[in-house]
Amino acid sequence: MCLLVSTLVFASDYNMRTGVTDISNQVYQLHMTIFWICCVIGLIVFSVMFWALIHHRRSKGAEPAQFHESTKVEILWTAIPFLILVAMAVPATKTLIAMEDTDKADLTIKVTGSQWKWHYEYLGHDVDFYSLMSTPRAQIDNMESKTENYLLEVDKPLVIPTGKKVRFLLTSDDVIHSWWVPDFAVKKDANPGFINEAWTNVNEPGTYRGQCAELCGKDHGFMPVVVEAKPEAEFQSWLANEKAQRALAAQQEAALLDQTLSKEELMATGERVYMAYCAACHQPTGLGLQGVFPALKGSAMVTGDLQAHIAIIMDGRPGTAMQAFAKQLSLKEVAGVITYKRNSWGNDTGEVIQPSQIQAYLDGKQEEAK
């Protein structure tokens, strides 16, 4: 039996991964150490049991021994398990202490979970972005064949350098999530109102995949984690490019305020944004989920007061699953998705919302705050 189990354990499909970090390798070695201890204990116990059954059976005339409260037996079956537990606890404690040591990090990234995406902030570098699952809806609905990384692909992966200690600060905007990357041996809960810490130091460049490991709501299974580990020089180049793109995006946003975008362009942008951010709750058809997420088709909120519609997109609705998208979407994306909602599924308002109107809403809020 132990031979069969050990064969299955060494097969990669049935065993833990060795991973790509020193910590993940320590976790794997600890796992194998405990496994072999359990195998030896099982082998000894079952061997003694079957030997006793065969050699002390009634057909051989065996008479049961008569003894009570043997001091030697009591000491043995207390001392031996104690020594085994100590032998298991020493390497386990060393590994756990190493896993919790987040000191002297070269880079700190804040990871915020929300239904159902991850927000990454590179602290001290003025770079942040949201990472959403990019698996096409057609694959999820079985309209297309599923690809190799089905449900484990995102529009924008987290990028970290190899050979550097990266500390993660994990929290949540709503419910409990869990950020899990098996190859790093990192699995840490993201709790609203709390900050948990984890770290990694990846030895090998590559793309590593994981997912939310806490049941966090309806689309829990659609919340993957993808991490790209790049050599230090490539990472610095990527970081510089992100900062440049951020500055360029700010310039483009400012330029949009003086432009009038066509309905076609805004509808195309809005459809893309809707499918990425809204369809999971309100459905691609705009019909929502009865009793859970309201329908947008024929909705008084969507077809009614424009300022109220902008407000709920930008600020969310406290106490509900409706998030605030002011920090997640650009002015053009907000204008596009509102235009799309107000002109889809029979909501033929004919209104075309411009980025300048979204900016005017933000300016108004700033004035009110003063």
Side-chain angles (χ1 to χ4, degrees):
M1 180 178 178
C2 276
L3 179 61
L4 174 61
V5 173
S6 63
T7 302
L8 292 176
V9 162
F10 279 116
S12 60
D13 290 344
Y14 297 95
N15 197 9
M16 290 182 65
R17 303 181 186 185
T18 55
V20 292
T21 69
D22 292 340
I23 286 293
S24 66
N25 192 262
Q26 286 183 47
V27 171
Y28 176 80
Q29 295 304 327
L30 174 64
H31 160 70
M32 294 307 298
T33 298
I34 303 303
F35 168 76
W36 285 120
I37 289 175
C38 292
C39 272
V40 170
I41 292 172
L43 182 64
I44 292 173
V45 169
F46 278 97
S47 295
V48 171
M49 183 179 70
F50 284 116
W51 181 86
L53 289 172
I54 294 170
H55 292 278
H56 295 280
R57 61 188 187 274
R58 180 180 295 180
S59 62
K60 292 186 67 172
E63 294 291 333
Q66 302 295 326
F67 62 87
H68 183 61
E69 293 183 357
S70 170
T71 302
K72 291 182 180 179
V73 172
E74 293 281 355
I75 292 174
L76 281 175
W77 72 31
T78 301
I80 293 175
F82 174 77
L83 293 175
I84 292 172
L85 288 174
V86 169
M88 296 166 70
V90 170
T93 302
K94 289 181 178 179
T95 301
L96 287 171
I97 290 174
M99 292 176 74
E100 297 299 323
D101 181 15
T102 59
D103 292 340
K104 299 179 181 179
D106 299 299
L107 175 67
T108 299
I109 299 174
K110 182 181 176 185
V111 181
T112 305
S114 60
Q115 294 175 310
W116 289 272
K117 51 186 167 288
W118 299 102
H119 182 210
Y120 299 117
E121 298 177 68
Y122 292 72
L123 302 186
H125 293 281
D126 194 29
V127 170
D128 72 285
F129 55 85
Y130 286 84
S131 180
L132 287 80
M133 186 186 72
S134 61
T135 297
R137 193 77 210 179
Q139 291 185 24
I140 297 172
D141 295 336
N142 294 317
M143 303 298 290
E144 294 180 359
S145 58
K146 295 171 173 54
T147 56
E148 179 184 358
N149 295 315
Y150 175 68
L151 300 185
L152 292 175
E153 50 202 342
V154 298
D155 58 350
K156 198 169 179 61
L158 176 67
V159 179
I160 61 174
T162 57
K164 297 291 183 180
K165 187 172 184 177
V166 181
R167 180 176 62 152
F168 302 110
L169 304 178
L170 299 108
T171 188
S172 170
D173 280 337
D174 38 48
V175 299
I176 299 175
H177 301 277
S178 186
W179 198 80
W180 176 46
V181 182
D183 284 315
F184 299 169
V186 172
K187 179 179 178 289
K188 187 70 72 171
D189 280 356
N191 299 314
F194 294 88
I195 296 288
N196 284 329
E197 291 184 276
W199 69 277
T200 193
N201 189 335
V202 181
N203 298 324
E204 304 171 18
T207 299
Y208 305 102
R209 303 179 190 275
Q211 55 197 147
C212 178
E214 188 72 43
L215 187 59
C216 60
K218 178 182 75 69
D219 278 359
H220 158 67
F222 301 142
M223 196 171 172
V225 176
V226 180
V227 182
E228 286 187 6
K230 296 178 179 288
E232 172 67 8
E234 290 185 26
F235 171 76
Q236 292 299 334
S237 176
W238 173 87
L239 195 61
N241 183 60
E242 284 294 306
K243 293 179 180 179
Q245 287 187 0
R246 193 179 180 90
L248 179 61
Q251 294 175 3
Q252 291 175 339
E253 285 250 299
L256 281 175
L257 299 180
D258 298 323
Q259 298 179 24
T260 299
L261 304 181
S262 68
K263 182 179 179 180
E264 290 73 19
E265 182 178 358
L266 287 166
M267 287 291 286
T269 299
E271 183 177 16
R272 175 181 59 79
V273 173
Y274 182 85
M275 296 306 294
Y277 290 86
C278 312
C281 296
H282 298 291
Q283 304 302 297
T285 58
L287 294 176
L289 291 175
Q290 189 173 6
V292 183
F293 301 111
L296 301 181
K297 179 178 180 179
S299 166
M301 185 277 295
V302 173
T303 59
D305 181 58
L306 175 59
Q307 291 303 306
H309 193 176
I310 295 175
I312 197 170
I313 297 295
M314 299 297 281
D315 306 326
R317 180 170 286 175
T320 72
M322 182 61 193
Q323 303 174 35
F325 287 93
K327 294 182 179 180
Q328 301 183 43
L329 302 176
S330 67
L331 297 178
K332 181 180 178 180
E333 287 174 329
V334 175
V337 76
I338 293 177
T339 300
Y340 179 76
K341 289 178 180 180
R342 296 175 84 86
N343 292 280
S344 298
W345 319 299
N347 298 339
D348 300 322
T349 65
E351 295 177 85
V352 178
I353 316 305
Q354 297 297 330
S356 57
Q357 293 173 269
I358 310 302
Q359 185 61 53
Y361 171 81
L362 293 174
D363 293 341
K365 282 194 65 179
Q366 289 180 352
E367 287 297 323
E368 289 178 8
K370 293 178 182 178

